[in-house]
Amino acid sequence: MLTSVQEKLLQQLTTKRGRREAEMFVIEGEKFVRDAGGLVEFTFTANDTPRFAEYVSTETPQAIAAVARIPKMTLKRFAESATIVVLDGVQDPGNVGTILRAALGFGASVLLVESAEVTNPKVVRASASAILRTPWMTVSREDAGAMISSFHRPVYRLELRDGALLPENIRPEPCVLIAGSEGGGITLPVAGTSIFIPHHASLESLNVGVATSIILYERSRKLLV
C-alpha cells in the first residue's frame, strides 16, 4: 500500500502547480515506466490505493503507473539538435504531444512558448513517452526572442503568406522552425523565411502537429543525404 506521504504527493501531482513545485509527474503503462528508468520515484497499481483512478488520466487505466521526476535538459544538449522547433502558443495538448513524439523520431528539440504544459496528462499520453527523451524546454514570451537569437541559426516560420516557400527550400543546416497555433498563428516578433505545405484547396489548414511532423520528416531526409 502507498504511504500517506506518497498519497499526498499523488494528490499534489494532479495540478499544474503541484507538478511544477514537486518537479514530478505521473506516467502510466509498463513500457512508459520501463522507459523512465532511473527517473521513477515509485510505482503503484490499483492494489496499492483505492484512489488509483483519480491519479491516472485514462478512462481505462493501465495496470501500473509511477511517479517520475521531470527530465532535466541542459541548454547545450538542447542546442545540439539539427532542428529546434519553437511552439508559439500551441495550447492543444494532443498537438504538443504529437510534436514531441515527431521530434524524437526525427532528431529535433522543442522550445515551448505559452504552449500546453508538457507534464499535462494529455500531453504525456500523446507523447508516447517521448517527453522522457526529446530535448524540450519552456521559455517566457519575453525571453523567447533572445533565446532564439542565441542559437545563431536561420529561422523558418511555418505559415501561409505571400512569398512563402516549399519545405524543400529549407537548407540542410541547423535551423529554427517556428510553428504557431491553428487559430492565432505565429505571434512571436521573430523574423524568418516563411514556408508552407501545399494541400488540397478544400482543406483550410493542416493540423499544426501534422504540419510540423511533415517538415521534420522532410528535414530528416535531407540531412541523411
Side-chain angles (χ1 to χ4, degrees):
M1 296 295 291
L2 294 178
T3 67
S4 59
V5 172
Q6 290 172 325
E7 291 274 5
K8 184 177 180 180
L9 175 60
L10 281 165
Q11 184 61 41
Q12 178 183 358
L13 299 183
T14 60
T15 68
K16 176 180 178 179
R17 178 178 178 180
R19 293 188 293 271
R20 184 176 64 248
E21 292 179 349
E23 297 185 339
M24 298 179 190
F25 67 117
V26 173
I27 58 178
E28 304 171 41
E30 290 184 9
K31 184 180 184 304
F32 209 152
V33 172
R34 185 168 61 251
D35 288 345
L39 292 173
V40 172
E41 289 288 306
F42 62 87
T43 61
F44 61 100
T45 69
N47 294 326
D48 297 314
T49 173
R51 303 179 66 183
F52 183 78
E54 297 178 34
Y55 300 142
V56 296
S57 62
T58 52
E59 293 183 6
T60 53
Q62 300 279 342
I64 188 171
V67 168
R69 297 186 300 280
I70 297 174
K72 300 290 186 181
M73 184 59 55
T74 64
L75 187 58
K76 180 179 182 297
R77 169 69 182 87
F78 182 86
E80 288 174 352
S81 299
T83 308
I84 296 175
V85 177
V86 178
L87 299 186
D88 180 6
V90 179
Q91 286 291 328
D92 182 87
N95 282 331
V96 172
T98 294
I99 292 168
L100 286 167
R101 191 172 183 179
L104 177 62
F106 302 120
S109 299
V110 180
L111 183 66
L112 299 105
V113 182
E114 292 184 356
S115 294
E117 178 218 355
V118 177
T119 61
N120 177 302
K122 293 181 180 179
V123 174
V124 173
R125 187 165 64 249
S127 82
S129 84
I131 179 179
L132 299 172
R133 292 168 288 174
T134 298
W136 62 269
M137 299 179 72
T138 59
V139 65
S140 68
R141 184 165 294 276
E142 293 74 22
D143 295 332
M147 178 172 282
I148 292 170
S149 295
S150 73
F151 297 133
H152 303 293
R153 300 179 177 205
V155 174
Y156 295 91
R157 295 166 56 100
L158 183 53
E159 58 189 353
L160 179 56
R161 59 184 304 177
D162 291 342
L165 304 177
L166 295 173
E168 63 197 44
N169 289 285
I170 299 178
R171 298 192 300 272
E173 61 184 285
C175 73
V176 172
L177 172 67
I178 303 178
S181 68
E182 293 170 49
I186 297 172
T187 58
L188 283 171
V190 177
T193 301
S194 298
I195 58 171
F196 80 105
I197 300 171
H199 52 75
H200 197 280
S202 64
L203 182 66
E204 181 179 353
S205 65
L206 288 173
N207 173 287
V208 66
V210 171
T212 303
S213 298
I214 291 172
I215 297 292
L216 291 178
Y217 168 68
E218 291 294 332
R219 281 275 293 161
S220 70
R221 291 180 62 202
K222 185 172 291 188
L223 291 171
L224 290 173
V225 173

